[in-house]
Amino acid sequence: MNFVPAFSSFSEFLHMGGYGDYVWMSFGVTALILSINLLEPYFRKQQIRKDILQEIAREKRRAK
Amino acid sequence: MNQIDDIDQTKQKGSLLSRLKVLYHKLGSPKYFYELSTPFLIPVAFLAFIVSALGVFGGLIFAPADYQQGDAFRIIYIHVPVAILSQSVYMLIAFCAAITLVWKMKMAAIVAKASMPLGASFALLTLITGSIWGKPTWGTWWFWGDARLMSALILLLLYLGLMALRNAFTSDESGIKASSILALVGLVNIPVLKYSVYWWNSLHQPATLKITEKPAMQTEMLIPLLLSIFGFYLLFAFLLLVRTRNEILENERNSQWVKKEVGK
């Protein structure tokens, strides 16, 4: 095993031997869709919490 | 906490079988699942991030270019993990569907529901990254006559169908039943997808990794790929956990323990 960087400069890395567009497009779309998947449950939880807290407040008002 | 204590007590008495039965019933309880999964969230997220980053950046930077495909082959470090996951997630949903139909286990239906958008995302990513990879290697983004491409598209459509059916009924019961049946019927697509490259002439190359054979890939290419696959599995595990927990909160929102949990 011999792990050495396959590229000698950053611009070469971005160029990806001429396949830069394809490689970065695939990684970009993946990053986008995974980010949506990571954020969605977070915002959904906030919404659920808000709804439940409202319901609790309503119950307390009713009990008075 | 009480339930966890209970299970510790049952550990001391009873046979293995009765202990497993207790565990099955406990895991079937949304409250127990919620409490049991809490300490796993941060470690799983952390590991998922580290391992998938190692795999993806290892593949992008340290793997040598392919002798035929040059640097275009680096798309493999996401295409293969998302493709494997799109099938594994489907099998998980089908497994949950079987449990739901036979034993009406509440948690199985919840896990299946939480898995559906994740499976759909992986199936969509498989098609997109595969299509982008196809352009420089096959000269085309898409080919309608190809069995591998078609069965991958059917997998995405199955996920969309499952999500639609699950939410199509006013009664949750009916949605669970209908989507479980579709999940089991759609299972036939899984072997078709897997063996399509052998059964028909396909543009698609045969599997890169086989369980029964030593991989043909060189080690410097292989290690980042294995890390990436494992990392994406962990990422799925994390996303499934948080989605399942949200479903539980929503389902049990009228129960005392959820009100206490949210009120904290």
Side-chain angles (χ1 to χ4, degrees):
Chain A
M1 253 188 288
N2 186 20
F3 282 101
V4 282
F7 306 95
S8 54
S9 71
F10 189 67
S11 60
E12 212 180 279
F13 173 62
L14 289 182
H15 187 62
M16 281 284 156
Y19 296 110
D21 291 352
Y22 301 110
V23 172
W24 297 120
M25 220 197 310
S26 351
F27 280 77
V29 175
T30 306
L32 177 76
I33 293 184
L34 291 183
S35 309
I36 296 171
N37 272 293
L38 278 166
L39 291 174
E40 195 268 344
Y42 174 77
F43 288 114
R44 176 137 182 252
K45 180 159 189 184
Q46 304 287 82
Q47 188 59 46
I48 296 170
R49 277 181 65 94
K50 220 177 97 189
D51 291 348
I52 294 174
L53 287 173
Q54 264 174 6
E55 180 59 32
I56 294 173
R58 210 174 297 143
E59 273 170 18
K60 270 187 189 151
R61 250 178 284 136
R62 231 179 277 144
K64 267 177 199 168
Chain B
M1 274 321 278
N2 280 334
Q3 289 198 340
I4 296 172
D5 294 342
D6 287 351
I7 213 167
D8 285 341
Q9 277 163 20
T10 49
K11 251 181 207 161
Q12 278 136 31
K13 48 196 171 184
S15 66
L16 180 70
L17 198 70
S18 68
R19 264 186 270 153
L20 278 176
K21 225 172 128 187
V22 170
L23 185 69
Y24 173 83
H25 284 288
K26 295 276 186 192
L27 278 176
S29 143
K31 176 178 186 258
Y32 181 72
F33 185 96
Y34 194 94
E35 284 166 351
L36 187 78
S37 61
T38 310
F40 288 96
L41 287 173
I42 293 169
V44 174
F46 180 75
L47 268 180
F49 179 74
I50 299 283
V51 178
S52 53
L54 278 176
V56 166
F57 287 105
L60 275 176
I61 302 168
F62 291 101
D66 186 67
Y67 77 102
Q68 277 181 320
Q69 301 186 9
D71 289 308
F73 105 99
R74 293 178 200 281
I75 296 173
I76 202 172
Y77 295 102
I78 39 179
H79 179 73
V80 165
V82 294
I84 291 178
L85 265 161
S86 70
Q87 296 165 60
S88 303
V89 174
Y90 195 89
M91 288 194 280
L92 173 66
I93 292 175
F95 179 69
C96 289
I99 294 179
T100 307
L101 289 176
V102 178
W103 292 295
K104 300 203 186 312
M105 189 196 197
K106 212 176 180 180
M107 272 312 299
I110 294 179
V111 168
K113 188 183 181 191
S115 303
M116 289 170 193
L118 297 174
S121 300
F122 290 127
L124 178 65
L125 276 176
T126 307
L127 290 172
I128 296 176
T129 56
S131 182
I132 296 173
W133 195 0
K135 185 64 186 163
T137 42
W138 307 335
T140 178
W141 301 98
W142 186 257
F143 177 56
W144 285 106
D146 194 282
R148 172 54 78 81
L149 274 57
M150 278 304 105
S151 46
L153 179 64
I154 289 170
L155 186 64
L156 174 64
L157 296 177
L158 275 170
Y159 278 120
L160 299 180
L162 286 173
M163 286 159 70
L165 264 184
R166 184 66 177 74
N167 299 311
F169 299 86
T170 33
S171 122
D172 206 38
E173 251 352 59
S174 316
I176 289 173
K177 205 168 176 191
S179 60
S180 297
I181 293 169
L182 176 62
L184 291 177
V185 172
L187 210 49
V188 292
N189 188 48
I190 294 293
V192 175
L193 179 58
K194 185 164 167 51
Y195 296 107
S196 51
V197 285
Y198 305 105
W199 293 346
W200 294 280
N201 278 323
S202 174
L203 287 172
H204 199 284
Q205 62 204 55
T208 310
L209 301 171
K210 292 191 203 85
I211 293 171
T212 49
E213 284 169 38
K214 220 175 147 225
M217 236 183 179
Q218 57 186 107
T219 324
E220 290 83 357
M221 283 181 177
L222 181 66
I223 289 177
L225 183 59
L226 294 176
L227 284 172
S228 185
I229 293 170
F230 187 49
F232 272 67
Y233 263 103
L234 287 167
L235 187 68
F236 165 69
F238 173 70
L239 290 172
L240 180 60
L241 271 183
V242 289
R243 295 190 70 89
T244 302
R245 288 163 61 86
N246 277 350
E247 287 296 332
I248 291 174
L249 284 185
E250 184 121 71
N251 273 352
E252 309 273 305
R253 62 181 175 276
N254 292 322
S255 70
Q256 279 310 310
W257 77 267
V258 167
K259 285 179 183 162
K260 233 164 105 186
E261 179 71 33
V262 170
K264 260 186 213 167

